[in-house]
């Protein structure tokens, strides 16, 4: 018998601070969770009380042209040394294949996009604290990408294990195959975190994605050097190596 009681009113803190109906990609994320039924509130509250590790899902920037995308792919593959994985497990390796992918995405954008300044891709980092098995992070990231983007938005990703925090760099083409532009809002990001956490739990990794207010985090500061590097990356200026990984 479970003696854990739900503190009255505490469940409100677990609700995202924005209306979920505003999430532009909610239907893609909910496709993962609706089939499993609603999770009991007690299960989540117990994870919070145990201080289960929190997942990180962070948008690190957007590439603006084919050259910018090429430099980004070079960076996340360590100049072609790491294999990029795409849907269905297909792999890309070597700078020639990366260059071909960047040219293909840029060419399709030129044909289909209505805006000339539209981004080519969205860069996302999926991470867990140190000590988590990198293989499970990799598998959960694969499931995350398939669940959210599937056959709607082409994507590739690479696992980095040269840092104490195992993390995956996921690059998603901003323009979907049906012409839909990938432009996530705050509600989408919370749903993305919950989807990644659920994928990890499905693989035996304790993970949670509570909203920041439930963790007592009201405001997150960003160090000035990090902010300047991020802004340079988003503008397409400077070498990719300047960006901190994970």
């Amino acid at each position: 018998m479970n003696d854990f009681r739900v503190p009255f009113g505490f469940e409100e803190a677990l609700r995202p601070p924005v209306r979920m109906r505003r999430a532009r990609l909610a239907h893609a994320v909910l496709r993962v969770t609706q089939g499993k039924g609603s999770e009991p509130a007690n299960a989540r509250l117990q994870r919070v009380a145990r201080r289960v590790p929190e997942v990180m899902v962070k948008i690190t920037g957007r590439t603006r042209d084919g050259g910018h995308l090429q430099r980004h792919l070079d960076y996340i593959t360590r100049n072609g040394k790491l294999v990029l994985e795409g849907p269905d497990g297909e792999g890309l390796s070597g700078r020639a294949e990366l260059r071909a992918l960047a040219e293909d995405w840029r060419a399709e954008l030129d044909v289909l996009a209505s805006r000339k300044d539209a981004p080519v891709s969205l860069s996302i980092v999926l991470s867990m604290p140190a000590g988590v098995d990198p293989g499970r992070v990799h598998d959960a990231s694969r499931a995350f990408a398939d669940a959210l983007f599937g056959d709607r938005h082409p994507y590739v990703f690479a696992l980095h294990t040269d840092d104490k925090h195992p993390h995956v760099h996921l690059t998603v083409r901003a323009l979907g195959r049906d012409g839909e532009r990938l432009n996530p809002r705050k509600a989408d990001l919370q749903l993305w975190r919950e989807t990644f956490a659920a994928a990890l739990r499905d693989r035996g990794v304790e993970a949670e994605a509570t909203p920041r207010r439930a963790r007592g985090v009201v405001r997150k500061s960003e160090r000035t050097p990090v902010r300047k590097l991020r802004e340079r990356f988003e503008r397409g200026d400077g070498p990719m190596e300047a960006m901190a990984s994970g």
Side-chain angles (χ1 to χ4, degrees):
M1 182 174 178
N2 191 341
D3 294 329
F4 189 92
R5 296 171 181 261
V6 180
F8 179 74
F10 183 70
E11 64 275 10
E12 290 296 324
L14 296 178
R15 295 179 182 174
V18 291
R19 296 181 180 178
M20 301 311 283
R21 60 190 175 91
R22 296 183 61 191
R24 296 181 179 180
L25 302 179
H27 61 282
V29 179
L30 294 178
R31 184 175 59 195
V32 186
T33 58
Q34 283 177 339
K36 297 182 180 180
S38 299
E39 183 185 40
N42 277 9
R44 191 171 192 185
L45 289 173
Q46 287 185 55
R47 289 195 297 270
V48 173
R50 294 199 312 271
R51 297 184 180 275
V52 165
E54 293 281 335
V55 302
M56 186 191 80
V57 177
K58 184 176 182 179
I59 295 175
T60 57
R62 292 169 172 79
T63 61
R64 297 294 176 179
D65 53 45
H68 191 187
L69 175 58
Q70 173 71 54
R71 294 192 299 274
H72 174 69
L73 296 179
D74 285 343
Y75 167 70
I76 66 174
T77 62
R78 299 295 191 250
N79 291 317
K81 295 178 181 177
L82 300 180
V83 175
L84 269 184
E85 183 176 332
D88 302 321
E90 59 188 89
L92 298 175
S93 60
R95 299 191 70 184
E97 292 190 353
L98 301 183
R99 183 168 56 253
L101 175 66
E103 291 175 352
D104 287 346
W105 284 15
R106 180 200 54 77
E108 292 182 22
L109 184 70
D110 288 345
V111 172
L112 300 175
S114 57
R115 290 173 41 196
K116 295 301 181 183
D117 61 343
V120 180
S121 69
L122 192 72
S123 307
I124 305 167
V125 171
L126 309 172
S127 179
M128 278 292 285
V132 177
D133 176 27
R136 299 191 186 195
V137 173
H138 181 264
D139 290 347
S141 299
R142 181 190 297 116
F144 169 91
D146 179 66
L148 264 69
F149 308 114
D151 56 0
R152 296 166 56 217
H153 288 266
Y155 62 85
V156 289
F157 62 93
L159 172 70
H160 283 198
T161 58
D162 55 354
D163 185 278
K164 64 180 181 179
H165 300 279
H167 59 280
V168 163
H169 288 267
L170 171 64
T171 302
V172 185
R173 198 179 75 183
L175 185 67
R177 291 190 172 92
D178 59 358
E180 177 188 16
R181 287 194 301 115
L182 186 60
N183 188 22
R185 296 182 177 181
K186 186 179 294 185
D188 294 304
L189 295 178
Q190 177 58 27
L191 284 170
W192 290 9
R193 291 185 69 238
E194 292 176 1
T195 301
F196 185 43
L200 284 163
R201 291 195 298 271
D202 286 344
R203 288 154 181 81
V205 178
E206 285 215 303
E208 189 48 76
T210 52
R212 288 168 60 193
R213 62 177 179 172
R215 290 175 275 137
V217 179
V218 178
R219 183 177 181 180
K220 182 179 180 181
S221 61
E222 184 177 41
R223 291 181 300 161
T224 300
V226 174
R227 176 178 57 79
K228 289 183 177 179
L229 289 175
R230 176 179 56 78
E231 290 173 350
R232 287 183 63 198
F233 168 69
E234 292 175 354
R235 291 195 306 268
D237 301 332
M240 292 302 300
E241 288 78 9
M243 288 297 297
S245 61

